[in-house]
């Protein structure tokens, strides 16, 4: 079978199939022979027959033989389909697509080569196969399409590894950006807290000073009341005025606090911190968009 380009393993498979086909052929020929023998034994018992009787016997024999031949041809076609099913199933496991040329099935030259092989080499191959157990069909594992398939699989695996590495890099960048954003937010909170503590300390000092002033005025009022009741009205007026001053100062403190907060927002440190947070947010949005392009759609 060297003319067909088969290796030793595939040549054995061809021999096994030819042995199977020959056994089926011999069995069917025996069945056809039995049809003729049955006709001889059951009908050809007289010395003379009319034309109608001979015709009837031949028609019956024709129907039987035709049925046997038709059954064998259908069974052979179905058997070939099962054989192709085995080959195609093995090929699909390796993502191969086999093709067949139906016109080659009627190639007289190739058919003669098969017949010559059956006459000369079939018997010797038959004997060798009888000595060894029949192996299962194995997929082609050497050169040709399988080699290209292996190269393609290796290329896809390499590309997949590169994508995984790229994904890990992007994830690392995203985590770094998130850490920087957290640090910037903490720094801004600390700065705001520090400014707030300073403002509270200044306000507390002013309020304490005003409270001391009120206490001093109240003590002076009490001393003046005990010393001279005539000056009581003036002291009361002073106390009311002091209270009004206290309320006015508190209002001024509130306005000063708002003004201080406004000035703080206009400071370079506040603007720089706000710009850093804005840039970090934009970087995180960009990295998320880039990650979405690499993530598989579900």
């Amino acid at each position: 079978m060297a003319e067909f380009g088969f290796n030793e393993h595939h040549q054995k498979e061809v021999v096994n199939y030819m042995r199977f086909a020959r056994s089926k052929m011999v069995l069917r020929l025996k069945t056809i022979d039995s049809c003729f023998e049955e006709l001889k034994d059951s009908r050809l018992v007289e010395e003379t027959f009319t034309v109608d009787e001979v015709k009837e016997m031949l028609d019956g024999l024709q129907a039987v033989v035709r049925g046997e031949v038709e059954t064998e041809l259908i069974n052979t076609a179905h058997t070939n389909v099962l054989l192709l099913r085995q080959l195609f199933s093995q090929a699909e496991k390796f993502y191969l697509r086999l093709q067949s040329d139906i016109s080659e099935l009627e190639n007289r030259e190739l058919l003669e080569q098969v017949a010559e092989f059956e006459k000369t080499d079939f018997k010797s191959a038959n004997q060798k196969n009888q000595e060894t157990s029949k192996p299962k069909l194995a997929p082609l594992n050497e050169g040709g399409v399988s080699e290209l398939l292996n190269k393609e699989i290796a290329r896809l695996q390499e590309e997949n590894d590169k994508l995984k590495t790229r994904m890990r890099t992007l994830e690392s960048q995203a985590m770094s950006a998130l850490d920087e954003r957290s640090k910037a937010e903490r720094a801004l909170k600390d700065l705001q807290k520090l400014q707030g503590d300073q403002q509270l300390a200044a306000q507390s000092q002013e309020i304490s000073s005003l409270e001391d002033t009120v206490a001093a005025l109240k003590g002076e009022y009490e001393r003046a009341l005990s010393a001279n009741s005539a000056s009581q009205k003036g002291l009361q007026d002073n106390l009311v005025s002091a209270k009004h001053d206290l309320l006015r100062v508190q209002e001024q403190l509130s306005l000063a606090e708002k003004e201080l907060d406004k000035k703080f927002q206009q400071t370079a440190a506040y603007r720089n911190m706000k710009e850093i947070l804005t840039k970090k947010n934009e970087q995180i949005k960009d990295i998320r968009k880039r990650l979405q392009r690499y993530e598989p759609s579900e």
Side-chain angles (χ1 to χ4, degrees), residues 39 54-65:
L39 177 64
V54 173
K55 184 177 180 181
E56 180 186 355
M57 288 187 290
L58 292 176
D59 290 342
L61 180 60
Q62 179 185 6
V64 174
V65 172

Side-chain angles (χ1 to χ4, degrees), residues 154-207:
R155 186 188 67 80
L156 292 175
Q157 288 177 347
E158 182 180 358
E159 185 176 350
N160 189 33
D161 292 338
K162 291 181 180 180
L163 289 176
K164 288 181 179 179
T165 303
R166 181 60 177 167
M167 287 289 292
R168 287 194 292 268
T169 302
L170 291 175
E171 289 176 357
S172 178
Q173 293 177 355
M175 294 300 297
S176 299
L178 289 174
D179 291 339
E180 292 180 2
R181 178 186 177 184
S182 299
K183 292 178 181 178
E185 289 178 348
R186 287 195 297 269
L188 179 60
K189 289 180 180 179
D190 293 339
L191 182 59
Q192 291 176 345
K193 183 178 180 182
L194 179 61
Q195 295 290 338
D197 292 340
Q198 292 176 352
Q199 292 175 4
L200 289 176
Q203 292 173 2
S204 299
Q205 185 176 0
E206 291 180 0
I207 291 173

Side-chain angles (χ1 to χ4, degrees), residues 34 50 54 64-65 71 88 101 107-109 113 156 175 200 213-214 233 236 239 242 244 269 293 296:
S34 65
T50 64
V54 173
V64 174
V65 172
T71 300
F88 292 159
D101 188 356
N107 189 319
R108 299 305 306 173
E109 182 179 354
Q113 291 181 11
L156 292 175
M175 294 300 297
L200 289 176
T213 302
V214 172
K233 183 177 179 180
Q236 288 179 347
L239 180 60
H244 287 307
R293 290 199 295 267

Side-chain angles (χ1 to χ4, degrees), residues 1-2 6 126 152 160 180 207 253 282 285 287:
M1 295 290 285
F6 288 168
N126 236 348
E152 181 65 15
N160 189 33
E180 292 180 2
I207 291 173
L253 284 176
E282 293 297 329
K285 291 180 180 180
I287 291 173

Side-chain angles (χ1 to χ4, degrees), residues 8-205:
E8 183 179 358
H9 172 77
H10 290 155
Q11 182 171 332
K12 290 180 180 179
E13 296 298 326
V14 171
V15 170
N16 289 333
Y17 179 75
M18 293 182 69
R19 184 189 300 116
F20 169 76
R22 172 172 285 192
S23 64
K24 299 292 290 183
M25 178 188 66
V26 171
L27 180 62
R28 192 58 60 186
L29 290 176
K30 288 182 179 179
T31 302
I32 294 176
D33 291 339
S34 65
C35 293
F36 282 90
E37 292 298 330
E38 182 181 0
L39 177 64
K40 293 178 184 178
D41 296 337
S42 62
R43 301 294 302 272
L44 300 181
V45 294
E46 300 179 6
E47 294 182 356
T48 58
F49 293 94
T50 64
V51 174
D52 293 336
E53 290 174 340
V54 173
K55 184 177 180 181
E56 180 186 355
M57 288 187 290
L58 292 176
D59 290 342
L61 180 60
Q62 179 185 6
V64 174
V65 172
R66 177 184 177 85
E68 291 292 336
V69 173
E70 183 179 7
T71 300
E72 177 60 21
L73 292 175
I74 294 174
N75 184 66
T76 300
H78 293 174
T79 302
N80 291 334
V81 171
L82 294 180
L83 179 61
L84 291 174
R85 177 179 177 272
Q86 295 182 33
L87 297 176
F88 292 159
S89 297
Q90 294 184 49
E92 289 176 359
K93 291 180 180 179
F94 286 82
Y95 304 98
L96 300 178
R97 293 184 178 181
L98 303 183
Q99 294 181 346
S100 59
D101 188 356
I102 304 300
S103 62
E104 288 294 320
L105 300 179
E106 296 182 353
N107 189 319
R108 299 305 306 173
E109 182 179 354
L110 294 178
L111 291 174
E112 290 175 0
Q113 291 181 11
V114 175
E116 184 65 24
F117 167 76
E118 187 175 11
K119 291 179 182 178
T120 58
D121 299 337
F122 183 73
K123 292 182 179 179
S124 60
N126 236 348
Q127 294 175 355
K128 288 183 180 180
N129 286 335
Q130 289 175 355
E131 294 174 357
T132 59
S133 60
K134 178 183 177 182
K136 292 183 178 180
L137 290 175
L140 186 62
N141 226 2
E142 52 186 10
V145 179
S146 63
E147 183 178 357
L148 295 177
L149 179 62
N150 291 331
K151 289 182 179 180
E152 181 65 15
I153 292 175
R155 186 188 67 80
L156 292 175
Q157 288 177 347
E158 182 180 358
E159 185 176 350
N160 189 33
D161 292 338
K162 291 181 180 180
L163 289 176
K164 288 181 179 179
T165 303
R166 181 60 177 167
M167 287 289 292
R168 287 194 292 268
T169 302
L170 291 175
E171 289 176 357
S172 178
Q173 293 177 355
M175 294 300 297
S176 299
L178 289 174
D179 291 339
E180 292 180 2
R181 178 186 177 184
S182 299
K183 292 178 181 178
E185 289 178 348
R186 287 195 297 269
L188 179 60
K189 289 180 180 179
D190 293 339
L191 182 59
Q192 291 176 345
K193 183 178 180 182
L194 179 61
Q195 295 290 338
D197 292 340
Q198 292 176 352
Q199 292 175 4
L200 289 176
Q203 292 173 2
S204 299
Q205 185 176 0

